[in-house]
Amino acid sequence: MKLLFVIIFWLYAIPAIWMGDFSEAKKQAKDTHKQILINFSGSDWCGPCIRLRKEILESESFEKYADANLLLVRADFPRQKKNQLPKEQIKLNESLAELYNKDGKFPYTVLVDENGKVLKSWDGFPDETPEAFIKEIEILKASK
């Protein structure tokens, strides 16, 4: 019985998996026909970025939806020395920003199809519930 509880807890406690390599996400998207949600964030200095992560992207409803329907890519640009990313990840994030966030907006979230075509972008904190955010994505998915 204890093992069953642990397994159930583990299944429901796993947060959505955020990737750091957009190329890998595109490969997986082509195989699974999922859309890719890219989040540009300043995780240690951008208040709206932190709020977006905590209130929407880490909500139970969004994580459950994303696990089944999306591939997630985070391009983080921390400023504090203790939070610096490996040089390879910095390069990946910068090249992704060149493609989708040339103006350097934070937070900035982009939904793309499996080919990298932009379907929708959110500039700043989307002032809505996680469920409304999911509904926007679902509408775009249905119109595809």
Side-chain angles (χ1 to χ4, degrees), residues 3-90:
L3 180 60
L4 179 61
F5 175 76
V6 170
I7 291 170
I8 290 171
F9 177 78
W10 183 76
L11 288 173
Y12 288 97
I14 295 176
I17 296 172
W18 288 86
M19 303 169 74
D21 186 342
F22 182 65
S23 298
E24 182 59 34
K26 274 181 66 175
K27 287 177 192 171
Q28 286 186 31
K30 286 184 187 282
D31 291 341
T32 61
H33 305 291
K34 291 183 177 181
Q35 296 170 335
I36 304 168
L37 188 78
I38 307 165
N39 175 244
F40 292 92
S41 178
S43 64
D44 65 2
W45 60 270
C46 172
C49 299
I50 295 165
R51 186 174 169 214
L52 172 62
R53 189 184 77 239
K54 287 182 179 180
E55 293 180 23
I56 295 178
L57 302 178
E58 290 179 354
S59 70
E60 184 178 333
S61 58
F62 179 79
E63 286 188 338
K64 186 175 180 180
Y65 175 81
D67 186 49
N69 298 283
L70 299 170
L71 294 169
L72 304 172
V73 176
R74 178 160 292 132
D76 191 19
F77 293 84
R79 290 185 179 165
Q80 294 180 17
K81 189 174 185 175
K82 68 179 182 177
N83 298 328
Q84 288 306 299
L85 303 170
K87 289 182 186 198
E88 184 60 34
Q89 188 62 54
I90 291 170

Side-chain angles (χ1 to χ4, degrees), residues 119-136:
L119 303 172
K120 178 159 178 70
S121 62
W122 293 264
D123 185 356
F125 179 82
D127 198 18
E128 56 195 13
T129 64
E131 293 74 22
F133 188 71
I134 292 166
K135 188 173 183 176
E136 280 190 69

